[in-house]
């Protein structure tokens, strides 16, 4: 019986994690669940999985939830609750599936408490990769990637000497606007951007996929997870989303991991690692797929990728600033306050204004995150970003 805490259980990754766990009721036990505000789904999950602790983001939602649950389940709220779930004494593996920089502190808390991590929350590695990886090494905990690309790389590297890794090739679907012109991109709406061709995901990552910032964040995530310099991490557009990523070894051999575009596969591998369990999820039929294509990304039209490489290479607090500015710009785009192509414009301006701080502490990272949010808000007030 593996005991698991799921942070962000009501989200896209969280719900699929719950589905997998429900499929193997004799092999997993859920000890803690957390959500933002979705008390109804959280209560339903709690009824089914009987955790010891459930957490929501604000005290009002916590009060509402308390009334929905039996007395033997503890209810907590806010950061205190999230950190308690992350470090729950019964948990062996913590799935971090909250979205955004909100994932940084619970990831660190879970590592501090010696838990293995199933990591979906890429933003924590982007903003605090050096700290997260150093702590994981110190505490002898495993960071098991859930992002499909990083799971693919992780799977390709099983049984390989890490010294033999020459290059990582991350694949990108290219998002819904892969074939658009600049003129078309100027006019896209949140509704169009939320329609991803291959994956059904949360709103923030869906917009990140459309701008290619998602791939940029994944490049930084890969840098920290697999310890390669940015020059050895390449991105290829692969619209079919069947080859989830590839590794090139020092002798020139290239290994790839393939599968249907279904997050349950990489989530399950993180939950069962180092074992593999027979699973009922759909299988890949290459005959049905027919052809697989690959192309270089267009970094002129999708500048977020280049912004992420730049911030990653500069290091220090730059990636935290990139991430926070992106979160603010994406939220503003979703609220129709700025245009799609304003997202990279806002991020570039915030990065330009930032005084980078090398080898930052966690407090310096969180301060840079706050500074970047205020700065992005201030920039978006300017007339050029209105309407
Ligand atoms: N979705 C995918 O296929 C996919 C693939 C690869 C990587 N990822 C990564 O996985 C993470 C989660 O993505 P997602 O698509 O599952 O996101 P999502 O559907 O938006 O779910 C986010 C989860 O975080 C919770 N949450 C939101 N704001 C919170 C707050 N302030 N405090 C505490 N909890 C909060 C949400 O609760 P409520 O439901 O109550 O709002 C929900 O449980 C992201 O970092 C993303 O980049 C996702």
């Amino acid at each position: 019986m593996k005991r698991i805490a799921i942070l962000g259980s009501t989200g896209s990754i969280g719900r699929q994690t719950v589905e997998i766990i429900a499929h193997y009721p004799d092999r997993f036990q859920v000890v803690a669940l957390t959500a933002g505000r979705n008390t109804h789904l959280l209560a339903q999950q709690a009824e089914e999985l009987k955790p010891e602790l459930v957490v929501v983001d604000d005290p009002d939602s916590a009060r509402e939830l308390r009334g929905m649950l039996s007395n033997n389940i503890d209810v907590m709220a806010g950061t205190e609750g999230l950190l308690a779930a992350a470090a729950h004494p019964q948990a062996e593996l913590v799935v971090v599936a909250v979205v955004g920089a909100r994932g940084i502190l619970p990831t660190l808390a879970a590592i501090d408490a010696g838990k293995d991590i199933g990591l979906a929350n890429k933003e924590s590695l982007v903003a605090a990769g050096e700290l997260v990886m150093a702590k994981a090494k110190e505490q002898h905990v495993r960071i098991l990637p859930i992002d499909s690309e990083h799971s693919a790389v992780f799977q390709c590297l099983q049984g390989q000497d890490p010294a033999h890794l020459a290059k990582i090739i991350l694949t990108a679907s290219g998002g819904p606007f892969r074939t658009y012109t600049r003129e078309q991109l100027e006019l896209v709406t949140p509704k169009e951007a939320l329609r991803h061709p291959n994956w059904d995901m949360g709103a923030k990552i869906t917009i990140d996929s459309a701008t290619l910032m998602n791939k940029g964040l994944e490049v930084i995530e890969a840098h920290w997870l697999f310890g390669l310099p940015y020059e050895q991490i390449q991105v290829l557009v692969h619209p079919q989303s069947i080859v989830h990523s590839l590794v090139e070894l020092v002798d020139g051999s290239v290994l790839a991991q393939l599968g249907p575009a279904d997050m349950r596969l990489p989530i399950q591998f993180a939950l069962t690692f180092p074992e593999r369990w027979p699973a009922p999820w759909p299988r890949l039929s290459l005959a049905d797929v027919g052809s697989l294509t690959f192309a270089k990304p267009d970094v002129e039209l999708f500048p977020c990728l280049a912004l992420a490489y730049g911030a990653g290479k500069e290091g220090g607090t730059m990636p935290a600033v990139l991430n926070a500015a992106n979160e603010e710009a994406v939220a503003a785009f979703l609220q129709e306050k700025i245009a799609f192509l304003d997202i990279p414009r806002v991020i570039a301006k915030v990065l330009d204004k930032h005084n980078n701080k090398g080898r930052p502490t966690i407090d310096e990272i969180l301060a840079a995150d706050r500074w970047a949010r205020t700065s992005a808000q201030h920039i978006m007030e300017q007339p050029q970003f209105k309407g």
Side-chain angles (χ1 to χ4, degrees):
M1 203 56 127
K2 201 179 242 180
R3 293 186 301 274
I4 300 191
I6 310 172
L7 314 184
S9 64
T10 53
S12 163
I13 294 290
R15 282 182 269 117
Q16 292 176 85
T17 307
V18 167
E19 186 186 349
I20 295 165
I21 287 174
H23 187 73
Y24 303 99
D26 304 333
R27 306 182 83 165
F28 294 119
Q29 186 191 343
V30 170
V31 297
L33 293 172
T34 84
R37 287 177 179 221
N38 192 343
T39 46
H40 286 275
L41 181 55
L42 189 62
Q44 220 173 299
Q45 291 176 336
E47 278 308 308
E48 184 185 349
L49 299 167
K50 311 274 181 241
E52 294 183 9
L53 172 66
V54 294
V55 179
V56 276
D57 198 33
D58 66 282
D60 287 342
S61 304
R63 265 189 295 279
E64 189 189 339
L65 191 61
R66 164 92 340 286
M68 296 171 166
L69 295 174
S70 48
N71 279 337
N72 53 355
I73 300 180
D74 286 335
V75 179
M76 292 179 74
T79 303
E80 191 195 354
L82 199 52
L83 298 184
H88 194 283
Q90 299 295 323
E92 296 163 72
L93 174 77
V94 178
V95 174
V96 186
V98 293
V99 61
R102 188 85 173 121
I104 301 172
L105 290 178
T107 302
L108 289 170
I111 297 172
D112 266 337
K115 318 293 184 189
D116 282 340
I117 309 289
L119 191 66
N121 178 268
K122 62 193 81 184
E123 295 89 347
S124 51
L125 272 185
V126 170
E130 193 166 3
L131 287 182
V132 168
M133 296 312 287
K135 251 187 204 295
K137 195 169 170 196
E138 190 184 294
Q139 294 289 346
H140 306 287
V141 311
R142 295 189 287 218
I143 308 282
L144 302 162
I146 284 181
D147 226 345
S148 57
E149 294 77 1
H150 305 75
S151 175
V153 171
F154 183 65
Q155 292 183 56
C156 289
L157 291 177
Q158 294 307 305
Q160 299 293 337
D161 180 339
H164 293 164
L165 177 62
K167 197 201 267 183
I168 288 173
I169 303 161
L170 299 176
T171 53
S173 71
F177 309 135
R178 182 174 52 85
T179 57
Y180 277 38
T181 62
R182 182 175 303 278
E183 291 68 35
Q184 287 174 302
L185 283 181
E186 286 285 5
L187 298 173
V188 301
T189 63
K191 201 170 158 205
E192 290 166 317
L194 285 170
R195 231 179 280 134
H196 194 282
N198 304 341
W199 300 95
D200 182 12
M201 310 180 285
K204 192 254 175 186
I205 184 176
T206 305
I207 303 302
D208 286 349
S209 298
T211 61
L212 284 202
M213 180 55 93
N214 183 47
K215 215 46 54 181
L217 301 179
E218 287 178 8
V219 166
I220 301 174
E221 185 184 8
H223 165 78
W224 290 116
L225 277 175
F226 305 109
L228 273 198
Y230 287 98
E231 292 70 20
Q232 288 161 254
I233 305 172
Q234 189 193 335
V235 172
L236 268 187
V237 174
H238 165 50
Q240 297 81 16
S241 297
I242 296 295
V243 175
H244 296 304
S245 280
L246 311 90
V247 298
E248 185 184 302
L249 303 176
V250 283
D251 59 0
S253 186
V254 174
L255 309 182
Q257 188 264 337
L258 285 72
D262 187 331
M263 285 307 295
R264 288 172 298 189
L265 242 129
I267 299 171
Q268 174 158 329
F269 190 59
L271 295 183
T272 65
F273 183 82
E275 296 174 15
R276 280 190 190 268
W277 297 352
W281 324 123
R283 302 280 152 154
L284 174 62
S285 163
L286 282 175
D288 289 342
V289 176
S291 63
L292 301 175
T293 59
F294 302 91
K296 284 189 177 158
D298 184 341
V299 284
E300 300 287 320
L301 215 46
F302 297 96
C304 283
L305 186 55
L307 290 173
Y309 266 105
K313 283 180 188 168
E314 281 199 51
T317 43
M318 279 297 185
V321 166
L322 170 96
N323 179 63
N326 179 55
E327 284 186 29
E328 294 299 312
V330 168
F333 169 68
L334 284 170
Q335 293 161 31
E336 302 189 26
K337 290 183 181 163
I338 63 168
F340 183 74
L341 287 183
D342 286 340
I343 297 174
R345 291 180 189 127
V346 170
I347 299 165
K349 278 180 182 285
V350 177
L351 286 169
D352 266 354
K353 282 173 55 182
H354 184 58
N355 288 323
N356 194 14
K357 171 91 184 63
R359 317 263 354 231
T361 62
I362 186 61
D363 288 341
E364 288 166 337
I365 289 169
L366 297 176
D369 175 286
R370 283 192 299 273
W371 172 85
R373 287 174 199 277
T374 311
S375 180
Q377 289 300 341
H378 184 67
I379 286 165
M380 289 187 289
E381 299 281 297
Q382 292 170 4
Q384 70 191 97
F385 293 106
K386 291 271 181 192

